Amino acid sequence: MPVRAGKHRALLGALALRAGRVVSIGELVAFLWGEDPPARTRGTLQTYVMRLRQLLGDPSLIRTTSDGYRLVVPPERVDVHRFTATASRARQAARSGRLTEAADLYAEALGLWRGPALVDVPSDALRDDEVPRLAERLLVAQEERIDVELALGNHERVVPVLRALTADHPLCERFWAQLMIALYRGSRQAEALEAFRLVDRVLDEQLGVEPGAALRELHQAILVGDPSLAAPAGRVAPDVPDQLPPEVPGFVGRAEPVERISRLVAPDGARTAVPIVVVSGVAGVGKTALAVHVAHRLRDRFPDGRLYVDLRGYAAGPPTPVVEVLTRFLRALGVPPEQIPVDPDEQSTLFRSLLAGRRMLLVLDNAAAPDQVRPLLPGAASCPVLVTSRDDLRGLIAVDGARRVGLDVLEPAESLAVLGRSGPAAEELARRCGHLPLALAVAAASVGGGSVARYLERLADRDPLHLAHDALPPAARRLFGLLGVVPGPDFTPEAAASVADVPVDVAASLLDRLAEARLVRSVGGRYSFHDSPARFAASVEGDVAAARLRLLEFYVRAVDHCADLLYPDLMRLPSAGVDPTGVSPTGVAPTGVDTAARARAWLDAERANLAAAIRSAAEHGPAAVSWRLADGLRGYLWIGKHVTEWLLTAQYGMDAAHEQRDVAAEAAMHQNLGTLHWRVGDFAKSIAHYTRAVELHRVTGDLASEAGVRGNLGLVRLESGDLASARNDLETCLALKREAGGPRSGETGVLTGLGVLAVETGELAEAVDLLGEALAVSVEHGLRSSEITALTLLGVAAQSMGEPQRALSRLADAVRLATEAGFREAAARALEVTASVRLDLGEHAEALDLADRALGELREGGDQRITTNVLVVMASANRGLGSLRAADEQFQQALTKARRIGYPPGEARALVGLAGVRRLLGEPAEARALAEQAVTLTARLGFRLLERAARTELAAVHRALGDDLAAAAEADHAAHLPP
């Protein structure tokens, strides 16, 4: 029955808010009548209580006490208490990483609110006492729920909610921050920046203050496109990372450690610290099998993925470098390759930020020391870490709070289960195997369907590994011993064939025999060692030096073969054998690698092995392998943007070349590093390495190599704004190439660079001639990428010459060819220039659409210079459409990005555009400062076309300030610059 009387509702509200507790008569009088109680206060109150009991239908619900009344109901029957309890459970679920459960609980809690608290209760005193507290709880719950939804990747869903919340609570900066993040993750960057501008204005108008530090930092992060902002959106990607190896076939027993590890890794209660569990035990006791088994068993508890790595802490070769592990993990978490930092500390920071709010399991196998583990530890309690090691890793326990689970040998019954046998003979075999799973598995494979007793006679006091090895045919024994030279984590039949100097089909058959004997592991056509067999293989006598050299020869030939398919025109070190002693190679080649796509797939699969081979050759020789492989991989690492692997391999090659005093190799490695730093936008380091490479090539008299480096050096200097040096380098490069007599196909990059330089300096007729020549050579030699570049730049030249239709025709061809070839960056560049031409024609909406298409091509990690130019075009289009605030933010973003990557042309365009917008917004003083910066920059660097635009804008600013004399001077200066 509804409670219609206002005093009855006030009485019920006062009692319900304190359900289960006594509310004194004095409090009730104050809540019902305030400072004007009736004459018979107690009697009237008793009457209200009696009537309320009747309305509730159960007089026992309101109990009379000596000094007041108490509502006797469980708190969960009162909405406000249900809300508090449910929100608390949601909070605990979120802290434990159970985000989906937390989102459901928050929705349930907030669903209990049907409007403002106590809105229909006629009691000012009760509302004054309770509403602020309840409103604060509601705001906190709403903030926390939005955080959970954002962590789940539901940014689009919460935008309308946040729009309403910021409207209702305009001074709550937390809601504004969440709105900005949600908009940014939904590719609505301009709206996110507009939200900051709006809250900035609201705070200034209402409080006279600026946004707090957190909101300002978020604004800056959005301006520069900080990758960590978009990271949580990766959790909704369809490909959840699952790097766990398959379960060991026939895994048996271990019930107690399985349960204990499971409880430690995934406890039921809330936790604040990252659970770290170290499974330790002797070699062969089954640590890896147990960890993988537990990880598979718990996979449903970690819906955001499972990460796994073999740290190779006890392998015969070097351990897996931390930077390599972090790079793998970051890639698995969806970080574009070019956004992965090179510095390990920065990688760790990014890794931890990406795991925040996720429920993931990390399995770090074969760790030899705490320092291998610490950089890989997450900061989120919802991401436990399972480590295996022969050591107990006491430092990890003492410092990082790890829990150790010591793994002993199997129980006798479990050992018999592994053997698949019973009886006294089987029990004796289990004893002789030490109840170690690996030894038992090898013994079981050796026994097969035969007699255990006869196997025991043959075994005597030997290790089952040794007996299994002795039972192999001679060719398999020989291969097993030679495979100990493999430096990487695994090997293929082709690699094994090179090691043993046998045909590939023979090697494949022998590997199958080794796998049947459990001496190697086989997964998906690739093979690897367990640590114990690997150490045993390394101890077997054989001609390992020649085997190792044959393997390295195979890697060099394979990489050269793939390079010929992927980038045949890229200048590389000349092919030559790496064996100074004259051992002849087998001629083994990668099976089925006959197209560029298959070459890239082979390199992807072998990347870790090739990196290990480079390191092994650098440290143990032959050194030439190190730099030959590093040089051959340069184009592949460029294409795949494998920056960290690139840096490691190039540095190993450099160290080896320097130690061997091989000038040509050292020059090649400087060129390699120069290209790497050019790729990541570090022009200063790139120029330093390229300059040293030029000096070394001069020492050797290698004109062709010097020409290639001088061409790259010129292009880097052109992009960094050093036009005079760029011209000298490019012209020298062209002269050297023609003197060396190489094919004309090698001239296209230089001609294109000189064409760009001519455009930048306003020498447009020369630019057209140079770019036309580059186009003709590209078409003649079938160089599709160079053809697209030449067409795009001819479009730029035509635009600068005031020929928009000619420009659009060239650009349409460029877009078509780039799209057909799948060259996304090239397509984005051509679309950006097309949008710029449409701007010149006054077609602002069309330009904005084209720029948006260009950004779409760049979203998966495109060239940041192209991105900067696209932002300038978008801002210019918004300016033309009258959206000055959006234009202002986009110009600012372009300016920040250009300065961060060291891109002067983009910086100049952004400064000119920003000055124009500030002038139109009525801020001429700021506009003048921006335009003057643009004039100074373009004049210093010789960007004549951009200087003309900057001085034209500065003239307009002077007119807006009423300084007609200064305006006329700037306009006259601009008129005498190239059009």
Side-chain angles (χ1 to χ4, degrees):
M1 179 180 294
V3 181
R4 302 186 184 281
K7 295 298 184 186
H8 295 158
R9 291 200 303 275
L11 175 60
L12 178 59
L15 294 171
L17 285 167
R18 293 157 176 77
R21 295 187 288 131
V22 174
V23 185
S24 70
I25 291 175
E27 288 179 295
L28 291 173
V29 168
F31 290 149
L32 268 63
W33 291 289
E35 297 180 358
D36 189 23
R40 295 184 64 257
T41 304
R42 185 177 291 271
T44 305
L45 180 59
Q46 290 173 343
T47 301
Y48 287 163
V49 169
M50 179 186 66
R51 179 57 179 155
L52 186 57
R53 284 170 172 158
Q54 294 172 349
L55 292 171
L56 294 176
D58 182 357
S60 66
L61 291 177
I62 301 178
R63 301 279 179 85
T64 303
T65 67
S66 59
D67 60 347
Y69 297 92
R70 177 164 58 95
L71 183 65
V72 185
V73 294
E76 60 269 17
R77 290 187 59 187
V78 181
D79 283 354
V80 67
H81 300 301
R82 283 179 57 199
F83 163 76
T84 301
T86 306
S88 178
R89 288 165 53 211
R91 195 170 297 116
Q92 291 175 0
R95 288 172 179 170
S96 300
R98 304 192 306 277
L99 297 183
T100 302
E101 178 186 345
D104 292 342
L105 288 169
Y106 276 122
E108 179 184 337
L110 294 171
L112 296 169
W113 286 78
R114 300 175 182 84
L118 303 178
V119 67
D120 61 346
V121 175
S123 170
D124 292 340
L126 189 58
R127 285 199 300 270
D128 291 344
D129 194 51
E130 295 291 343
V131 169
R133 177 175 60 86
L134 294 174
E136 181 63 26
R137 288 185 183 178
L138 174 61
L139 286 177
V140 169
Q142 288 169 323
E143 290 175 358
E144 293 172 345
R145 178 198 182 185
I146 298 297
D147 281 340
V148 169
E149 295 288 356
L150 288 173
L152 286 168
N154 299 328
H155 40 269
E156 295 287 1
R157 182 191 305 171
V158 299
V159 167
V161 178
L162 286 165
R163 294 282 194 200
L165 288 170
T166 51
D168 293 340
H169 308 281
L171 302 182
C172 179
E173 293 190 33
R174 180 64 189 145
F175 287 142
W176 287 103
Q178 291 172 325
L179 175 60
M180 291 165 64
I181 292 172
L183 290 168
Y184 179 81
R185 291 178 184 167
S187 300
R188 299 159 71 176
Q189 196 170 36
E191 292 180 63
L193 295 169
E194 177 65 17
F196 178 82
R197 186 194 65 78
L198 185 56
V199 66
D200 186 18
R201 188 182 68 188
V202 167
L203 293 172
D204 181 53
E205 291 176 351
Q206 297 194 27
L207 301 178
V209 299
E210 64 179 9
L215 206 57
R216 295 197 307 273
E217 289 171 5
L218 174 60
H219 176 247
Q220 183 62 26
I222 291 174
L223 280 173
V224 302
D226 189 331
S228 67
L229 290 181
R235 63 181 304 109
V236 296
D239 297 326
V240 173
D242 189 356
Q243 300 177 333
L244 294 178
E247 284 234 48
V248 175
F251 182 89
V252 298
R254 302 295 198 189
E256 190 280 329
V258 165
E259 288 301 324
R260 185 181 175 200
I261 295 169
S262 298
R263 288 195 303 271
L264 292 172
V265 167
D268 293 329
R271 57 189 186 271
T272 57
V274 178
I276 306 170
V277 181
V278 176
V279 180
S280 62
V282 299
V285 78
K287 301 181 294 296
T288 298
L290 176 61
V292 171
H293 175 74
V294 170
H296 279 286
R297 184 173 184 257
L298 298 175
R299 63 188 306 119
D300 291 341
R301 300 285 296 273
F302 303 100
D304 296 319
R306 282 74 50 191
L307 300 177
Y308 171 89
V309 66
D310 181 356
L311 296 174
R312 292 171 55 83
Y314 303 96
T320 308
V322 169
V323 291
E324 183 179 318
V325 178
L326 284 168
T327 298
R328 289 187 210 168
F329 285 175
L330 290 172
R331 279 177 174 264
L333 292 171
V335 180
E338 73 282 356
Q339 293 182 12
I340 296 176
V342 175
D343 181 75
D345 291 337
E346 293 181 15
Q347 288 183 338
S348 290
T349 300
L350 178 57
F351 178 59
R352 285 192 294 272
S353 70
L354 291 177
L355 292 185
R358 299 188 191 222
R359 293 160 62 192
M360 300 190 77
L361 175 63
L362 280 69
V363 180
L364 309 180
D365 199 12
N366 289 319
D371 288 345
Q372 276 190 291
V373 174
R374 286 198 179 100
L376 309 175
L377 295 178
S382 57
C383 298
V385 181
L386 183 55
V387 185
T388 71
S389 178
R390 294 182 197 171
D391 192 4
D392 58 13
L393 301 183
R394 293 180 183 178
L396 207 62
I397 296 170
V399 177
D400 302 280
R403 303 288 297 276
R404 175 180 173 273
V405 176
L407 191 61
D408 204 347
V409 297
L410 293 173
E411 295 294 327
E414 296 172 337
S415 297
L416 294 178
V418 173
L419 290 172
R421 298 296 186 95
S422 60
E427 292 172 1
E428 175 61 16
L429 177 56
R431 186 189 66 78
R432 291 198 196 179
C433 289
H435 298 287
L436 291 169
L438 178 61
L440 289 163
V442 172
S446 297
V447 172
S451 166
V452 176
R454 280 197 291 271
Y455 177 79
L456 283 171
E457 292 175 1
R458 295 198 309 273
L459 181 63
D461 58 354
R462 287 189 292 172
D463 187 311
L465 279 173
H466 295 196
L467 184 59
H469 171 264
D470 292 346
L472 292 170
R477 288 202 306 271
R478 175 176 176 269
L479 176 60
F480 177 75
L482 296 179
L483 285 172
V485 304
V486 174
D490 61 11
F491 44 89
T492 61
E494 290 87 353
S498 297
V499 164
D501 196 10
V502 298
V504 175
D505 58 342
V506 173
S509 177
L510 295 175
L511 287 172
D512 287 341
R513 284 293 302 270
L514 294 176
E516 289 171 4
R518 304 298 291 270
L519 295 177
V520 299
R521 292 175 293 205
S522 173
V523 179
R526 303 185 72 85
Y527 299 83
S528 62
F529 275 123
H530 186 280
D531 290 344
S532 297
R535 287 196 312 278
F536 178 38
S539 70
V540 176
E541 292 185 2
D543 191 0
V544 294
R548 178 173 176 275
L549 188 62
R550 286 192 296 268
L551 176 64
L552 295 177
E553 278 274 13
F554 163 70
Y555 284 143
V556 171
R557 286 194 309 276
V559 167
D560 282 344
H561 176 69
C562 292
D564 288 338
L565 291 170
L566 279 169
Y567 31 87
D569 295 318
L570 183 67
M571 182 180 66
R572 308 197 310 274
L573 285 168
S575 297
V578 300
D579 175 29
T581 65
V583 175
S584 63
T586 63
V588 174
T591 303
V593 180
D594 52 6
T595 65
R598 288 175 178 173
R600 185 168 179 181
W602 187 89
L603 291 170
D604 283 340
E606 295 290 337
R607 190 166 65 243
N609 289 322
L610 294 171
I614 290 171
R615 178 174 178 177
S616 175
E619 294 177 346
H620 308 293
V625 168
S626 180
W627 60 70
R628 283 285 308 284
L629 285 176
D631 181 69
L633 288 171
R634 172 165 45 99
Y636 161 72
L637 296 171
W638 170 291
I639 293 170
K641 302 173 185 176
H642 303 288
V643 174
T644 51
E645 295 97 328
W646 192 352
L647 183 60
L648 285 172
T649 55
Q651 195 59 57
Y652 279 125
M654 171 69 79
D655 293 344
H658 185 71
E659 183 176 344
Q660 295 294 316
R661 301 183 184 277
D662 190 309
V663 177
E666 192 172 348
M669 291 303 97
H670 276 294
Q671 180 179 351
N672 196 346
L673 288 165
T675 306
L676 164 62
H677 289 294
W678 181 16
R679 187 73 170 101
V680 299
D682 191 338
F683 294 146
K685 287 184 180 178
S686 177
I687 290 170
H689 281 294
Y690 277 145
T691 301
R692 182 56 180 156
V694 167
E695 294 169 353
L696 293 171
H697 283 311
R698 282 181 187 163
V699 171
T700 63
D702 187 346
L703 290 181
S705 296
E706 181 186 349
V709 178
R710 288 295 288 262
N712 287 347
L713 185 56
L715 294 175
V716 175
R717 282 178 164 152
L718 175 60
E719 292 182 10
S720 67
D722 187 356
L723 302 191
S725 297
R727 183 185 297 278
N728 178 62
D729 286 323
L730 291 169
E731 289 177 348
T732 301
C733 170
L734 192 58
L736 288 171
K737 282 180 177 291
R738 289 174 176 174
E739 181 181 349
R744 291 217 67 198
S745 59
E747 297 180 7
T748 55
V750 192
L751 292 168
T752 299
L754 287 168
V756 173
L757 181 61
V759 170
E760 295 289 1
T761 55
E763 301 163 287
L764 299 179
E766 181 183 353
V768 171
D769 289 342
L770 289 163
L771 295 169
E773 187 178 356
L775 178 62
V777 174
S778 299
V779 172
E780 179 184 353
H781 291 272
L783 305 177
R784 181 55 56 88
S785 178
S786 298
E787 180 183 357
I788 295 166
T789 300
L791 284 167
T792 302
L793 291 170
L794 282 167
V796 173
Q799 177 191 17
S800 301
M801 297 174 77
E803 301 176 355
Q805 296 309 317
R806 181 189 294 270
L808 291 173
S809 175
R810 295 289 198 184
L811 293 165
D813 289 341
V815 171
R816 176 179 55 79
L817 292 174
T819 302
E820 289 174 356
F823 298 160
R824 302 193 68 178
E825 285 188 359
R829 172 65 171 143
L831 286 166
E832 174 258 313
V833 180
T834 307
S836 180
V837 175
R838 293 294 180 189
L839 280 179
D840 292 345
L841 294 171
E843 301 170 359
H844 301 102
E846 292 84 349
L848 198 58
D849 288 342
L850 287 163
D852 190 61
R853 282 179 58 194
L855 276 185
E857 297 291 343
L858 297 167
R859 277 201 178 96
E860 293 183 6
D863 191 308
Q864 293 300 293
R865 291 160 294 183
I866 302 175
T867 304
T868 301
N869 293 335
V870 173
L871 287 169
V872 169
V873 172
M874 295 185 81
S876 302
N878 275 316
R879 170 182 164 173
L881 292 169
S883 301
L884 295 182
R885 288 297 180 186
D888 188 276
E889 295 289 1
Q890 286 168 335
F891 276 129
Q892 285 188 64
Q893 184 182 5
L895 179 60
T896 301
K897 191 179 289 292
R899 285 174 170 168
R900 179 169 57 85
I901 64 176
Y903 181 41
E907 180 181 357
R909 294 185 186 100
L911 283 168
V912 173
L914 193 56
V917 171
R918 293 289 170 84
R919 172 172 55 83
L920 295 174
L921 286 170
E923 302 170 2
E926 292 186 28
R928 179 174 60 189
L930 292 163
E932 287 173 345
Q933 289 180 51
V935 168
T936 301
L937 177 65
T938 53
R940 175 172 59 84
L941 296 177
F943 294 151
R944 299 295 175 239
L945 290 177
L946 288 174
E947 183 184 354
R948 188 174 193 273
R951 291 190 182 277
T952 300
E953 179 55 45
L954 184 55
V957 173
H958 282 311
R959 281 192 292 273
L961 289 166
D963 191 344
D964 293 337
L965 187 61
E970 289 297 340
D972 182 66
H973 199 152
H976 287 85
L977 290 168

